[in-house]
Amino acid sequence: MQRHPETFPDGPEKYKVLVPVSMSREEEPLVQGLYQIFRGWKHPVEITLFHALTIEEIQIQPGEGSNFYETISKNKSLAESKLREYEQFLKEKLPAHAIRVVIAYEQLTSPIEAVQSYLRAYPSEMVVIFYKGRQRWEGWVGRTAFWDLFEELKTAVLVLSQPFTFTPKRFLWLCEMDEEDYKYLPEVLRLIKAFEGSLYCAKVNTPGSFYGHREFQRRVLAFCDYIVEHVDPDFVPQECLQYNDKDVLVGARHLMEDFLMDVLMVAPDGPLSLSEVGRLLATGNFGVLRLPMV
């Protein structure tokens, strides 16, 4: 694996973001759109564009006289050339931040193993992955690998299905506002402060899980009291919403659209299943941020 460049020793510690990148042409606008997410950040960011060669990419053509190692070298050069293009573009758009390129090629592993191995060696605060719905992925990150990354990574995972044209600021956390959610509050506030965004919390009332008005108000007060007493005395959510709908999936989509939210935040054990998250991403109107595991 290419040695990771050192960060600037004398500057403030960077917020590290890992972006697994395939060689798909369809992915180019999503990679280039990363600058919209981070261009307003005052805190320095280090974005690592990461690709790992897999055995599926190494196709030997005996008639051409190439051997296994020559093919690896060729594929590595092609991947590096593409990632360098992205690196140069992002450096021009984000001159205050650091952009890195890393290509793992010494061990041909699956995408999930390659990403997990890299994160063990070089931890990041966030991983950004791209979702393309029902379209066939070219090469590296297929649909199975995508959901493995979304479900298994310990760090925060931001999923994009289309590039942002602005810096996301309005974050909606879909939660029950009960004690099970309290453990995520330090990470939620840390992410909101990193983005310098606004936090909205929402409970979707469904026939199977319904809070009356008084019960909802009791939970909201307890929720905000916990934030003030145990997490941050100067922070409260912008608004706590109660929304009635036929199921959580439909309610989440309506909330995001009706209140013009930019990013939907969900806990690893939150109210949405993986298939429901996929259906939300297929709308393409907002990102989904899966909170880190705690």
Side-chain angles (χ1 to χ4, degrees):
M1 180 182 293
Q2 177 178 327
R3 186 175 181 270
H4 192 276
E6 298 295 330
T7 56
F8 299 118
D10 299 326
E13 184 178 354
K14 292 180 175 62
Y15 188 96
K16 296 182 180 179
V17 179
L18 181 68
V19 187
V21 180
S22 75
M23 295 300 102
S24 169
R25 186 176 299 175
E26 299 166 355
E27 201 161 283
E28 185 168 328
L30 290 164
V31 179
Q32 292 179 341
L34 289 171
Y35 87 91
Q36 293 284 9
I37 299 175
F38 300 107
R39 66 174 182 168
W41 282 42
K42 297 176 183 177
H43 191 87
V45 180
E46 181 180 280
I47 300 173
T48 299
L49 304 176
F50 177 78
H51 183 77
L53 299 186
T54 62
I55 194 66
E56 289 80 11
E57 291 180 274
I58 309 303
Q59 298 179 358
I60 305 295
Q61 303 293 336
E64 298 179 3
S66 60
N67 61 38
F68 184 74
Y69 298 103
E70 289 173 346
T71 303
I72 289 179
S73 179
K74 178 182 177 181
N75 283 42
K76 176 180 176 290
S77 296
L78 290 172
E80 184 171 14
S81 176
K82 190 65 176 177
L83 265 60
R84 292 297 179 192
E85 291 180 18
Y86 294 150
E87 177 190 32
Q88 183 60 36
F89 176 86
L90 292 173
K91 279 185 174 180
E92 292 174 1
K93 296 291 186 179
L94 298 171
H97 303 301
I99 315 297
R100 309 287 186 234
V101 167
V102 173
I103 300 172
Y105 61 92
E106 295 176 349
Q107 294 181 340
L108 304 181
T109 61
S110 68
I112 182 67
E113 291 173 343
V115 173
Q116 288 177 329
S117 176
Y118 183 82
L119 288 172
R120 283 193 293 270
Y122 307 102
S124 296
E125 280 77 24
M126 180 185 296
V127 176
V128 178
I129 55 177
F130 305 120
Y131 181 80
K132 300 188 181 66
R134 298 182 180 277
Q135 298 179 20
R136 182 179 181 275
W137 284 69
E138 298 175 16
W140 191 41
V141 178
R143 285 179 60 80
T144 299
F146 170 87
W147 289 116
D148 285 345
L149 292 170
F150 184 84
E151 191 173 22
E152 296 182 20
L153 293 181
K154 304 296 184 184
T155 187
V157 179
L158 176 62
V159 184
L160 306 178
S161 58
Q162 67 175 11
F164 275 108
T165 56
F166 53 86
T167 302
K169 293 294 185 182
R170 293 168 63 85
F171 290 75
L172 180 74
W173 182 17
L174 194 67
C175 60
E176 298 295 311
M177 282 176 258
D178 58 16
E179 293 185 3
E180 286 297 311
D181 292 319
Y182 290 4
K183 63 185 179 183
Y184 293 107
L185 281 168
E187 293 297 335
V188 169
L189 268 60
R190 190 174 292 117
L191 286 162
I192 295 298
K193 290 177 180 178
F195 279 92
E196 296 186 356
S198 299
L199 173 64
Y200 297 77
C201 301
K203 155 67 178 171
V204 177
N205 269 342
T206 65
S209 177
F210 190 90
Y211 294 168
H213 178 73
R214 292 186 65 180
E215 173 64 13
F216 178 71
Q217 291 300 320
R218 184 190 70 79
R219 287 175 179 257
V220 169
L221 290 173
F223 192 73
C224 292
D225 285 346
Y226 186 89
I227 294 175
V228 170
E229 294 174 8
H230 299 281
V231 186
D232 186 339
D234 300 318
F235 185 94
V236 292
Q238 190 77 15
E239 191 172 352
C240 292
L241 306 166
Q242 188 178 24
Y243 199 89
N244 300 334
D245 222 312
K246 62 180 182 180
D247 60 46
V248 178
L249 172 65
V250 176
R253 185 172 67 247
H254 288 164
L255 276 164
M256 296 298 293
E257 295 170 351
D258 292 350
F259 292 92
L260 301 176
M261 295 294 166
D262 304 327
V263 177
L264 175 66
M265 303 177 77
V266 295
D269 54 356
L272 292 173
S273 67
L274 291 181
S275 63
E276 288 172 329
V277 172
R279 290 168 65 185
L280 284 173
L281 287 168
T283 65
N285 295 323
F286 49 83
V288 173
L289 177 56
R290 198 223 68 201
L291 298 173
M293 296 182 184
V294 295

